[in-house]
Amino acid sequence: MEPPRFSLGCMPPGPQRDAEFDTLINGAIKRSIMSFSKLAGFAHDNSCLPAQYERMIAVMYYQLDANKIPRGERREDFDLQQFQIPFVCLTALGVTLPIWLCTEISTKLVKGLTDHWVDIRQWILFLYKEIISQHNVDIDLRLSCKTAVLEFLGLVRDRLLITWSRRITTDRGVMRVICELWFLETRDEQFFTWSSKGANQNQRESAVLNSCFLIAHEMDTTIDWENILGVFRGDTELIASAALRHLDREISQKPLDLRCVGWDMHIVSALSFRENIRLSLLRQGAIKAAADVLWLIVSQKWVGENNKVMAARCMVNAVIFLKVRMEDMDGTPFILQALDTDLIPSLLKCEPLLPFTDNETARQQPILVLGNLLTSYTIYRSVLRAMHPKIDAMGGTQMELNLIKGGQLHSAWLRLKEAVAERCWLMKRDIADGYHIQSCQSEKCARAGETGTLKRCGGCLHAFYCSKACQRYDWKYGKHKPYCRMVHQRYLRTNGQMATVQSKDIRFFDQIIISELRKHRARINTHRLKINVVELDFVGGNVDVIFDSRRVDPNPFGIKCSCERFAHARWVKIVERAKEAKDPVVLVRAYIPGGMSRKILLRVIPLGRVLGEENQDHLWVDETKLRLCLPNHLNLIYTCCGQESMKKDPEGFRG
Ligand SMILES: [Zn+2]
Ligand SMILES: [Zn+2]
Ligand SMILES: [Zn+2]
């Protein structure tokens, strides 16, 4: 059986004669479907007066009185006939209210809805519980019921009803129904709405759910996640797979429905703000999914302003998701995953849609990913190796040639290309082995060994020790205990998904740092200082350098997290002890990108090393001598516990 439909457009235009209108109203009160259809048709086509519209919705509210909800009946006996009137009323309200809300009766309409919401709410909860979710109820009835409920709930998308919509987002019962409906669509094939051609898009469950997330975000109300997760029996893998299946199904449609793709992409983003759901999403391939959306959008030609604006919005939402989530964990795991997709060609193809983005912040996103984020991670050898062939493959292609010369995207692309070229050159010319040293974290010891030969602390995975005794000493007296605990909490929070920095990457940092220092050789040399303090910031794509030999700035590039004070305390001591050094030294504090867990490298390097004086090499060969000339060399790595970045809530998403 077909769901009830209105006879749209078959009525003569202009206000109807009062007598005819009265007859229809009376018919509607007496539950005549025909009368309702005609009335709704008038309302939809604007062929009645505001006062007439008010009368007709009064009848709809009357029919949606909570006392009319059937009680004590066997749900197997329910039939479509019996529910036609409430379905028609819910649908008619959902379809016509947005049209009339823009007229002079707007305030009255908002009040009317608010006043009758208590009753309608009961209807919705009843319809979901007793009909939609019941397997033994006739499927046509269930489908019609779902359509009517969603058509009404689509009102949350109306900006003029925002105070009411806000109530929905905090309504545990209704939010549960919305999530159940959204889940049902992926769980049960019969409920896929995209298969019903020409269906009004407001009845998409993803549209409603997405709006609720957006409203909660904008109006600063909290989503009750426990309640939502209850729909999925607390299983974050289940909610993540539902979100990704929604998105996957949308992007396999031909032609693409940009609005649907946008909603689904945004739901994935909204869910990813929940730590546990985010991990499930990432585990199930959310990075690849977002990269696929991006590629699909940018590799099509969109015709018409409207389509271009929608496409640009989808593109930006996918890019923002990637920008934020690629850096999850310790940064590199998901960046490597993203590089495995068409991310780089996609970013090069973003330019034609940039003028259609919503604002400047949105416009900057692809530029930032290419020129800042990806560029900054070329400091990791593992990332560089994966990126290098991708960059090479773009050389001389139409994609590269199409970039507007001198444009921001072009500059970002050049920045990335140059960084890759420069660092690939370094990668091929590995500096002498004696240079890659690592120091025991214990202050009492500070013994050095070749990178990769010391043992990692199993708690934080970033502190290195030469022996159990040194580890125990540092734990007890060297403040490693509080630091390690903070970092270890990240390990627990992320279900053990904390990446270590590979020894090869750490060795490569040494190389990058010395190469950056050598760019400033002349300046360092002219100062003729015994202690040269250099602060390097590799986070963000450009390498920022600060020379400061007089004082120690606690946060030259901003302290990101309270755990960084441990690295700072050590830095202060190193600078202090460097004064005892016999030979001039360069003290380096380098900030390394690491997503939620930025790294800080503390290094003491003999000046001769930086200036490239060959006769300094002897310092690095004999280990006993190394130990004697402390602190002429030191190489420590700290990682952030990721606590601070958890609060980050990126702006710029548009649904
Ligand atoms: Zn530790
Ligand atoms: Zn030691
Ligand atoms: Zn931290």
Side-chain angles (χ1 to χ4, degrees), residues 594-617:
M596 68 193 281
S597 53
R598 163 168 98 161
K599 321 283 179 236
I600 299 178
L601 273 170
L602 303 181
R603 297 221 54 184
V604 178
I605 309 169
L607 178 65
R609 254 288 159 182
V610 175
L611 301 179
E613 289 164 16
E614 292 304 316
N615 60 0
Q616 291 281 338
D617 272 359

Side-chain angles (χ1 to χ4, degrees), residues 464-621:
F464 293 85
Y465 297 100
C466 72
S467 64
K468 272 251 169 275
C470 278
Q471 186 182 15
R472 240 175 277 133
Y473 179 87
D474 197 34
W475 184 262
K476 251 183 143 170
Y477 307 105
K479 296 234 169 54
H480 188 65
K481 186 172 160 182
Y483 166 75
C484 191
R485 288 234 162 118
M486 280 180 93
V487 179
H488 190 70
Q489 274 166 14
R490 171 155 67 93
Y491 176 84
L492 299 175
R493 254 200 330 267
T494 57
N495 296 333
Q497 294 208 10
M498 189 165 80
T500 56
V501 181
Q502 301 171 15
S503 292
K504 279 184 176 174
D505 281 332
I506 299 177
R507 284 165 63 106
F508 194 52
F509 293 159
D510 294 344
Q511 220 153 323
I512 301 257
I513 287 171
I514 202 87
S515 131
E516 288 301 324
L517 290 176
R518 280 180 181 167
K519 288 180 187 168
H520 304 278
R521 212 185 323 222
R523 176 169 182 172
I524 294 169
N525 202 19
T526 41
H527 281 166
R528 290 275 149 215
L529 294 169
K530 199 178 139 200
I531 305 171
N532 298 270
V533 178
V534 184
E535 307 262 11
L536 287 168
D537 188 10
F538 289 98
V539 182
N542 290 316
V543 185
D544 287 333
V545 193
I546 294 175
F547 298 91
D548 186 351
S549 308
R550 293 168 310 272
R551 64 197 174 90
V552 179
D553 191 330
N555 51 346
F557 306 110
I559 288 260
K560 290 267 166 67
C561 177
S562 63
C563 79
E564 292 186 349
R565 71 178 191 269
F566 293 106
H568 179 67
R570 191 63 182 270
W571 178 236
V572 173
K573 279 192 186 161
I574 290 170
V575 176
E576 204 48 46
R577 285 191 58 191
K579 290 171 188 154
E580 303 157 18
K582 285 196 285 298
D583 303 309
V585 287
V586 181
L587 306 184
V588 185
R589 173 161 59 174
Y591 293 83
I592 310 286
M596 68 193 281
S597 53
R598 163 168 98 161
K599 321 283 179 236
I600 299 178
L601 273 170
L602 303 181
R603 297 221 54 184
V604 178
I605 309 169
L607 178 65
R609 254 288 159 182
V610 175
L611 301 179
E613 289 164 16
E614 292 304 316
N615 60 0
Q616 291 281 338
D617 272 359
H618 67 276
L619 276 173
W620 303 90
V621 186

Side-chain angles (χ1 to χ4, degrees), residues 439-442 444-447 454 464-467 469-471:
S439 306
C440 177
Q441 191 105 9
S442 162
K444 270 269 145 52
C445 167
R447 175 204 290 261
L454 297 186
F464 293 85
Y465 297 100
C466 72
S467 64
C470 278
Q471 186 182 15

Side-chain angles (χ1 to χ4, degrees), residues 6-52:
F6 312 126
S7 48
L8 300 180
C10 58
M11 286 292 148
Q16 301 304 304
R17 281 180 300 114
D18 282 351
E20 189 192 346
F21 192 81
D22 286 348
T23 316
L24 289 175
I25 290 285
N26 285 332
I29 295 171
K30 291 182 191 131
R31 303 173 66 87
S32 148
I33 287 289
M34 179 64 87
S35 301
F36 263 116
S37 299
K38 283 187 176 172
L39 287 171
F42 291 147
H44 185 271
D45 299 343
N46 258 316
S47 32
C48 60
L49 296 167
Q52 289 177 320

